[in-house]
Amino acid sequence: MALKHEPTAPYHSAQDALRVLETVARHTTGVTDTELARLTGLTPERLTTLLRMLRREGYVEQITDGAYVTGDALTRLGSAQGREQALRDKLQRTLDRLRDSVGAAVYLSRYVDGEVKIAQYADGPTTPVVNEWVDFRYSAHATAIGKSLLGQLDQNSRRDHLSRHKMARLTSRTITSDRLLLSRLESQPPTVPHLDLQEYAVGTVCAAVPISAGSAVGCLALSLPVEDAHRLRQAADTLNRNAAPVLLSLAI
């Protein structure tokens, strides 16, 4: 499977954060922010933003003299024993925080072995998940999640997926023409969220942003009741701006 990969802002943030983490890890007795700026080539302003995020996520800590050392979260993810559970726990905390910041149910999805998979999600009493009335594996053409994942594949992989899953009309807004869907996927800029405006389910709108790490295809998504549709684009922008911690967890 080939990727149509064009780095987005969260991707660049995660890459810069990894550079900072690698530098901190090499200095076991601690490294100051001035030294980090010199060693990584990042501007002080950019570095300050990244260090704030890395401290919040538990990847770095400040010791008494103000220098930075690796934090507990990095130690847990870096350990072979229990890494999978540590990663799930870390991602869940991040998704919970994203749910609260965007005021919507949030989903982490992957494209695995040719199928759409919801890996994890965060919901709550006031932010319910979408009622999966049609299996997400068979409705990629109608969901923001599916369109975001398909949009990261090449044309042959997209056609292969659509040949295996008939584009059923789920609502009056559902796209059922593979030519139209492929055309829209091809023209969609990678930095613009994919939207589902009641295409999967009447009464629900969704948005999704890509979070590809290496060769893995993934996305972050959110759903809102249609009465909150006026918040969709702003919520999607917030989701996109805060996607870097998820990418970082997947990359470590």
Side-chain angles (χ1 to χ4, degrees), residues 92-114:
Q92 193 60 52
R93 288 193 294 273
T94 303
L95 293 177
D96 289 346
R97 190 164 57 244
L98 280 171
R99 173 201 61 205
D100 295 340
S101 65
V102 301
V106 174
Y107 313 76
L108 171 62
S109 303
R110 308 272 189 85
Y111 195 74
V112 182
D113 298 329

Side-chain angles (χ1 to χ4, degrees), residues 3-173:
L3 302 188
K4 179 193 172 189
H5 184 65
E6 297 177 61
T8 56
Y11 175 86
H12 288 303
S13 293
Q15 288 295 99
D16 288 346
L18 278 174
R19 283 164 59 195
V20 175
L21 275 181
E22 288 164 358
T23 305
V24 172
R26 286 199 301 269
H27 294 75
T28 54
T29 58
V31 57
T32 66
D33 51 2
T34 302
E35 292 171 318
L36 281 170
R38 177 175 58 82
L39 292 167
T40 60
L42 296 168
T43 65
E45 295 79 12
R46 177 71 168 156
L47 181 61
T48 297
T49 299
L50 291 170
L51 285 172
R52 186 182 304 121
M53 184 264 283
L54 290 171
R55 287 182 67 187
R56 185 188 68 225
E57 297 293 325
Y59 291 129
V60 301
E61 298 173 3
Q62 259 187 310
I63 52 181
T64 50
D65 62 356
Y68 290 90
V69 295
T70 55
D72 288 343
L74 185 63
T75 302
R76 286 194 294 272
L77 288 183
S79 171
Q81 186 175 11
R83 184 188 185 281
E84 188 173 335
Q85 187 59 49
L87 177 59
R88 280 195 67 84
D89 292 346
K90 186 76 184 70
L91 287 170
Q92 193 60 52
R93 288 193 294 273
T94 303
L95 293 177
D96 289 346
R97 190 164 57 244
L98 280 171
R99 173 201 61 205
D100 295 340
S101 65
V102 301
V106 174
Y107 313 76
L108 171 62
S109 303
R110 308 272 189 85
Y111 195 74
V112 182
D113 298 329
E115 302 294 352
V116 173
K117 178 183 178 182
I118 306 296
Q120 289 177 244
Y121 64 88
D123 64 346
T126 60
T127 53
V129 293
V130 174
N131 173 34
E132 190 178 352
W133 74 284
V134 176
D135 193 317
F136 287 138
R137 290 177 298 174
Y138 310 131
S139 54
H141 64 291
T143 65
I145 285 171
K147 287 184 281 187
S148 180
L149 295 175
L150 293 177
Q152 296 173 64
L153 308 181
D154 63 16
Q155 278 280 14
N156 289 337
S157 299
R158 292 172 190 164
R159 290 185 184 278
D160 171 71
H161 183 94
L162 296 178
S163 71
R164 291 183 287 108
H165 299 298
K166 179 177 170 57
M167 295 174 61
R169 184 176 299 281
L170 306 183
T171 76
S172 62
R173 294 172 175 261

Side-chain angles (χ1 to χ4, degrees), residues 193-247:
H194 284 269
L195 303 180
D196 159 15
L197 303 176
Q198 301 189 88
E199 295 167 54
Y200 172 76
V202 174
T204 300
V205 295
C206 305
V209 297
I211 53 160
S212 294
S215 61
V217 175
C219 73
L220 273 177
L222 62 88
S223 63
L224 288 167
V226 70
E227 55 265 27
D228 290 336
H230 62 282
R231 293 204 297 115
L232 185 63
R233 289 188 182 275
Q234 183 179 0
D237 289 342
T238 301
L239 191 70
N240 196 33
R241 285 198 309 272
N242 292 280
V246 177
L247 260 175

